[in-house]
């Protein structure tokens, strides 16, 4: 019967949570470009986009496929289908550092190729709007599109570009709301720019997600907690979603030298776990915590949480 068939297919499905909401996540990476940032904690691999490691799962897939957006999307959709997940509704997540600093021609080409992969055909027209229109009735519809960027790269011109590209959500690398910490890690933006970027994005109807990094140089657990309190006490922030990425020491980051010289020491395991628990308790129920601890293989971590 049809009911038995559905039960059987559910039994075959791997990792139900991947499409539990009815939406399948497809993550793709851009090719390496020079990054405008100078952050001390950020790893640098010549063959990878800034801040990514070649042995991270999504990054490794992208590298193997030579960062081709069309093939990345097709490959991921096929894998999801092979594991029993529906792929009629796709949330496309584009990673690779500061998207807003990439050449506009590359951005347009990259997004067009992603849409063409979901449309299962190369478009006759070079017009992105027409390709997006075709996708509205395609087998794999992109119902959400996320990019990640820096707060100081969001202005009115960037807002217009993101609108044209079909972006629905923007992840901002905020890291901390302590000005001293931001200065020490050479983040090159201030909390003023975080608030300005958030306001522009919110006024334009985008969903806003923040990346936060407890355990940064110069920070204390109390300072990290204060950042989380300020995040929701101040209406100029209040993101729709969060990713909590405790700082770790990676060999290709400047922070590795600081650690070896004794200038930086990450929180011990118990302190970090207790801090994360207290931080999560401050998050309103309406705000989704998308990730706690980044998916970096423990073999690449010199110091910090390997859990």
């Amino acid at each position: 019967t049809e009911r038995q068939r559905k039960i059987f297919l559910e039994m075959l499905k791997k990792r139900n949570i991947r499409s539990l909401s009815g939406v399948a996540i497809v993550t793709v990476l851009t090719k390496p470009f020079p990054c405008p940032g100078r952050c001390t904690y950020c790893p640098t691999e010549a063959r990878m986009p800034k801040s990514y490691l070649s042995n991270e799962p999504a990054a490794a897939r992208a590298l193997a496929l030579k960062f081709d957006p069309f093939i990345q999307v097709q490959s991921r959709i096929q894998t999801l289908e092979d594991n029993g997940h529906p792929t009629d509704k796709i949330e496309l997540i584009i990673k690779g550092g500061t998207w807003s600093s990439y050449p506009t021609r590359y951005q347009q080409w990259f997004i067009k190729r992603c849409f063409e992969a979901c449309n299962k055909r190369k478009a006759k027209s070079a017009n992105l709007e027409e390709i997006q229109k075709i996708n509205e009735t395609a087998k794999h519809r992109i119902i959400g599109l996320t990019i990640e960027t820096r707060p100081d790269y969001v202005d009115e011109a960037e807002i217009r570009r993101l609108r044209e590209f079909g972006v629905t959500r923007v992840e901002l690398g905020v890291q901390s709301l302590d000005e001293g910490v931001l200065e020490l890690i050479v983040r090159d933006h201030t909390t003023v720019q975080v608030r300005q970027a958030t306001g522009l994005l919110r006024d334009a109807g985008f969903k806003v997600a923040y990346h936060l990094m407890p355990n940064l140089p110069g920070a204390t657990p109390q300072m990290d907690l204060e950042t989380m309190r300020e995040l929701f006490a101040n209406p100029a922030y209040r993101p729709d979603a969060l990713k909590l990425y405790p700082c770790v020491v990676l060999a290709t980051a400047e922070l590795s030298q600081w650690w070896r010289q004794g200038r930086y020491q990450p929180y011990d395991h118990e302190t970090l776990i207790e801090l994360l628990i207290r931080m999560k308790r401050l998050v309103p129920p309406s705000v989704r915590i998308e990730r706690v601890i980044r998916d970096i293989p423990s073999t690449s971590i010199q110091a910090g949480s390997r859990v």
Side-chain angles (χ1 to χ4, degrees):
T1 66
E2 181 62 24
R3 180 173 177 275
Q4 289 173 322
R5 177 179 174 276
K6 288 181 178 179
I7 292 173
F8 178 66
L9 290 175
E10 283 298 315
M11 291 172 63
L12 294 178
K13 187 183 295 183
K14 295 182 180 180
R15 297 187 180 181
N16 287 357
I17 196 170
R18 289 196 182 279
S19 58
L20 197 61
S21 66
V23 177
I25 305 296
V26 172
T27 301
V28 294
L29 257 73
T30 56
K31 70 178 183 179
F33 276 97
C35 180
R38 303 182 296 157
C39 312
T40 58
Y41 56 81
C42 201
T44 303
E45 279 195 33
R47 58 181 182 164
M48 296 301 298
K50 182 76 169 178
S51 85
Y52 286 90
L53 300 177
S54 56
N55 59 352
E56 293 181 81
R61 288 196 300 267
L63 179 62
L65 299 174
K66 299 181 180 178
F67 301 103
D68 186 310
F70 190 95
I71 300 176
Q72 285 186 73
V73 171
Q74 278 197 330
S75 173
R76 197 64 189 142
I77 288 175
Q78 187 62 56
T79 299
L80 287 166
E81 289 182 335
D82 289 346
N83 288 325
H85 296 281
T87 57
D88 56 324
K89 290 186 285 187
I90 300 291
E91 180 173 354
L92 181 68
I93 299 179
I94 300 175
K95 294 188 174 295
T98 305
W99 166 266
S100 303
S101 70
Y102 292 174
T104 302
R105 283 188 64 182
Y106 177 78
Q107 293 175 336
Q108 292 172 335
W109 172 81
F110 193 95
I111 288 182
K112 280 168 56 180
R113 293 298 281 159
C114 289
F115 271 95
E116 287 173 349
C118 287
N119 294 348
K120 287 199 165 183
R121 57 173 166 169
K122 183 174 180 179
K124 295 179 181 179
S125 170
N127 188 304
L128 177 58
E129 187 176 354
E130 291 181 22
I131 297 171
Q132 292 168 332
K133 188 68 177 178
I134 292 170
N135 185 253
E136 292 178 6
T137 55
K139 181 181 178 181
H140 311 292
R141 292 178 295 118
I142 297 177
I143 54 84
L145 201 167
T146 298
I147 60 97
E148 56 181 11
T149 193
R150 292 170 55 97
D152 50 328
Y153 270 70
V154 177
D155 55 21
E156 292 184 359
E158 179 64 5
I159 292 290
R160 286 193 291 271
R161 276 191 295 272
L162 296 179
R163 274 292 190 202
E164 291 170 1
F165 291 153
V167 172
T168 57
R169 187 178 68 148
V170 174
E171 296 185 7
L172 291 177
V174 173
Q175 319 312 1
S176 174
L177 295 183
D178 186 281
E179 297 288 0
V181 170
L182 292 175
E183 183 177 357
L184 182 61
I185 63 174
V186 198
R187 185 60 188 163
D188 287 336
H189 72 68
T190 65
T191 58
V192 171
Q193 289 163 310
V194 174
R195 293 190 292 273
Q196 289 174 340
T198 302
L200 285 171
L201 290 166
R202 186 175 288 138
D203 288 347
F206 293 94
K207 291 289 186 182
V208 181
Y210 282 3
H211 294 185
L212 290 185
M213 292 189 74
N215 200 17
L216 282 166
T220 65
Q222 193 55 44
M223 291 163 66
D224 291 331
L225 276 176
E226 190 53 41
T227 281
M228 188 64 88
R229 290 192 185 96
E230 175 69 6
L231 211 63
F232 298 107
N234 189 334
Y237 300 116
R238 295 182 183 170
D240 301 292
L242 286 174
K243 289 184 178 179
L244 300 177
Y245 291 152
C247 183
V248 294
V249 178
L250 303 170
T252 57
E254 182 183 349
L255 188 61
S256 176
Q257 183 177 346
W258 290 19
W259 171 68
R260 291 195 301 270
Q261 294 171 344
R263 295 172 58 193
Y264 170 71
Q265 183 62 42
Y267 305 153
D268 61 59
H269 181 73
E270 290 72 21
T271 299
L272 180 60
I273 295 301
E274 179 60 28
L275 171 62
L276 290 173
I277 291 171
R278 295 178 69 184
M279 291 179 76
K280 289 178 70 176
R281 285 173 177 164
L282 296 172
V283 180
S286 60
V287 176
R288 181 180 180 183
I289 300 177
E290 297 180 341
R291 183 179 289 277
V292 178
I293 299 181
R294 187 167 153 182
D295 199 11
I296 296 176
S298 60
T299 52
S300 295
I301 299 173
Q302 293 181 314
S305 175
R306 291 184 172 87
V307 176

